[in-house]
Amino acid sequence: MSEYKGVAVYCEAKNDKILPIAAEGLGIGRKLAESLGQELAAVIIGDKALAQQAIAAGADKAYVIEDAQLKEYQPDAYISALEKAIKQIQPQIVILGQTDSGRELVTRLAYRLNTAATLDCVDLAIDTGTKRLLQTKPVYGGNAQAVIITETDPQIVTIRTKAFAALTPDASRKGEVVSIPAGLDSSIIKAKIVNRVVEEVAGIKLEDARVVVAGGRGIGSADGFKQLDEMAKLLKGAVGASRPACDNNWISDTAQVGLTGKIIAPEVYIAVAISGSSQHMSGCSGAKTIVAVNKDKEANIFRHARYGVVGDWKKVLPAFVQKLKEL
Amino acid sequence: MNIIVCVKQVIDPEAPPASFKIDAATNKAEMKGAAPVIDPYGEYAVEAALKLKEARGGKITILTLGVNLLREVVKKPLAMGADELILLEDEIFTSGDNGSIANALALAIKKKGEYDLILCGREASDTNAGQTGPAIAELLGIPCIILARKIEPIDDKIKVERVNSLGYDVIESPLPAVVTVSNEVGQPRYPTIKGIMAAKKIEPIIWKAGDIGYETGISNKTKLQKLFQPVHEAKCEFAAGETPEEMAVNLALKLREAKIV
Ligand SMILES: Cc1cc2nc3c(=O)[nH]c(=O)nc-3n(C[C@H](O)[C@H](O)[C@H](O)COP(=O)(O)OP(=O)(O)OC[C@H]3O[C@@H](n4cnc5c(N)ncnc54)[C@H](O)[C@@H]3O)c2cc1C
């Protein structure tokens, strides 16, 4: 195992910028590399211009895989490209984001490298004795957390969004940029993305909103969600939902908050007629203040909320909105 | 179309969080007072298989790995309309890491032979890993598509709509392939009385390690070091009032005062 050294972070990018989660990966990657006394590498697919962004965010070195075939995202091609890069870099630890593509690439990448992956980590640290990576991830829908160790190298993980802090970018940081030829054969693409459909609603994005008004099964209808939408507009926020509300088509699937939906950390999360299942709370427990409206005093949501009203939302919401307008 | 669906028995993930307990000595979790269930996302995978069977005909084989499998639980996919149930019921399969489980499933799929499509849930409600489907695909050397909301066969290929955070991707893949299924595929159907009666008559096939050639299947690449319940301490301040309207007004005042909204 000794030939593996250093920490590598796969830096996903969009519109010529590395994603915030890539910077978060470099942030924790920097810490891990320092406690191992080793280097931090960034792995970039696409444009050399991204290398300096990764270096500014903490990388000592940036490996860039450039290939015309990688211009558009195709999982099969990206897995092969990353496999090649990781075999060349030989890092001890590989970090990806738990994003649409990260969760798709990571397990198959781990199999190609004859090792194992741990997904959706919320804490990472080096064991002082063994020097192995302690990987903490939520399990049982957030009811519990597991600390997992990978015995083989590289130790591969994905990280949950907003679970780790990025460093303040330092544009003056210097680092080496290494180009890796992908050498891809187009026949490796078996499952092929032929179209991408964007469904997300206009307005403030759920992930970026300061205030989120979210509705659950107790809202009962698409009309009910219109009321939440009005309240969200008043508060300059966005509307979120629990899974049953999305499954019932009262609101778009892209509004789902939770373990299998979006993970958000707004300033204020107003949960209306949501019971507060562990899976739902996985997506919003990072909110600074949770406010809950529920007719059941025993609902689990009140164990997470800072402020609460026990009552029927149909009576509570209009009066609440009216008062806010007056204030 | 021959479809194999991998689905397991789990502790009820939708039981109230307050009934969740961990036995620190064994690192095992339980839901006090709640019976085990079929893993919810596995049930969505069964639903996806049934939709395909309705459209195209074919046979659905359920593959369930575990110990202490309750027959009334693991037979639910049969009651929903699946044709056959294979139980991988041998303690050795669960004595290693999650890779060991993928190995056993892949070996069982190879033994079963004829298959066009392998379906799994997008992630199990206990491990929340989402790794079994992709792992099986790698072990069998076939394509993998995750998070399906719609699966449509076209000639000898499939077209899959794959959920992402902005909408969905349309993906085409040759068969055989592994597809993991998300809840957007549609609510799993309830078993009918007829289905339940039919399921009663189907005897599960049981395969042990020796039946699938599992000698080198155990994997120990990862180790669970600790399982714990995170503590969160929020103290909820309830808005006072005689009526919901009064409470609402008090909540608005309180939130404004604290500069929260
Ligand atoms: C692996 C897995 C992943 C999952 N991922 C997610 C996820 O990402 N996001 C998610 O949300 N769920 C997820 N779930 C589902 C989750 O377990 C719960 O089933 C779901 O969150 C419940 O949604 P809810 O709170 O809206 O509904 P319920 O639990 O039915 O709660 C409805 C609440 O509304 C209240 N209510 C009803 N009427 C009124 C009224 N008139 N006024 C006030 N209150 C009222 C009730 O008291 C109740 O508390 C997942 C489940 C599994 C197994």
Side-chain angles (χ1 to χ4, degrees), chain B residues 45-83:
Chain B
V46 173
E47 177 59 32
L50 291 167
K51 284 198 168 90
L52 284 167
K53 188 182 161 180
E54 277 164 2
R56 289 302 164 106
K59 186 174 167 196
I60 302 174
T61 302
I62 306 293
L63 205 50
T64 298
L65 182 152
V67 289
N68 303 326
L69 299 176
L70 302 177
R71 295 304 186 259
E72 67 271 23
V73 173
V74 298
K75 277 192 163 189
K76 185 174 182 190
L78 292 175
M80 290 167 71
D83 299 286

Side-chain angles (χ1 to χ4, degrees), chain A residues 215-219 241-245 256-261 273-277 279-280 293-296 299 311-314, chain B residues 13-14 40-41 123-125 128:
Chain A
R217 198 193 317 259
I219 296 296
S242 71
R243 200 180 73 189
Q256 186 182 319
V257 172
L259 182 65
T260 50
I274 290 177
S275 64
S277 68
Q279 294 90 356
H280 184 80
V293 179
N294 197 301
K295 66 177 185 188
D296 174 11
D312 185 343
W313 72 268
K314 287 183 189 131
Chain B
E14 309 223 20
Y41 277 108
E123 65 178 65
S125 58
N128 299 144

Side-chain angles (χ1 to χ4, degrees), chain B residues 33-215:
Chain B
V37 294
I38 280 290
D39 182 56
Y41 277 108
E43 230 176 274
Y44 285 107
V46 173
E47 177 59 32
L50 291 167
K51 284 198 168 90
L52 284 167
K53 188 182 161 180
E54 277 164 2
R56 289 302 164 106
K59 186 174 167 196
I60 302 174
T61 302
I62 306 293
L63 205 50
T64 298
L65 182 152
V67 289
N68 303 326
L69 299 176
L70 302 177
R71 295 304 186 259
E72 67 271 23
V73 173
V74 298
K75 277 192 163 189
K76 185 174 182 190
L78 292 175
M80 290 167 71
D83 299 286
E84 178 181 57
L85 173 63
I86 301 174
L87 300 179
L88 299 175
E89 214 175 11
D90 191 331
E91 305 233 327
I92 193 168
F93 297 142
T94 50
S95 60
D97 62 13
N98 290 335
S100 311
I101 289 167
N103 284 339
L105 291 169
L107 285 167
I109 291 165
K110 276 191 197 151
K111 174 170 168 133
K112 172 80 192 139
E114 294 158 10
Y115 56 86
D116 302 300
L117 190 59
I118 296 157
L119 300 181
C120 299
R122 64 176 278 175
E123 65 178 65
S125 58
D126 49 6
T127 56
N128 299 144
Q131 299 211 71
T132 301
I136 292 171
E138 285 300 306
L139 291 167
L140 298 175
I142 59 178
C144 179
I145 300 166
I146 64 167
L147 311 192
R149 56 171 235 170
K150 192 171 170 201
I151 307 169
E152 198 186 329
I154 22 169
D155 305 325
D156 53 350
K157 293 199 297 194
I158 43 166
K159 191 159 122 187
V160 177
E161 291 180 7
R162 185 271 208 214
V163 174
N164 63 37
S165 50
L166 295 174
Y168 61 93
D169 293 336
V170 182
I171 301 178
E172 284 180 6
S173 170
L175 293 173
V178 174
V179 177
T180 77
V181 178
S182 191
N183 49 292
E184 290 83 355
V185 89
Q187 283 298 324
R189 65 198 65 192
Y190 288 105
T192 59
I193 301 284
K194 204 172 137 224
I196 294 167
M197 297 309 286
K200 279 219 168 86
K201 295 206 190 89
I202 304 175
E203 267 311 303
I205 300 163
I206 295 167
W207 286 347
K208 304 266 173 204
D211 297 316
I212 57 170
Y214 191 68
E215 298 75 27

Side-chain angles (χ1 to χ4, degrees), chain A residues 100 112 140-141 147 149 151, chain B residues 126 128 138 162 221 225:
Chain A
D100 289 334
R112 305 277 167 99
Y140 293 99
V147 181
I149 292 174
E151 309 268 20
Chain B
D126 49 6
N128 299 144
E138 285 300 306
R162 185 271 208 214
K221 292 197 171 93
Q225 166 133 337

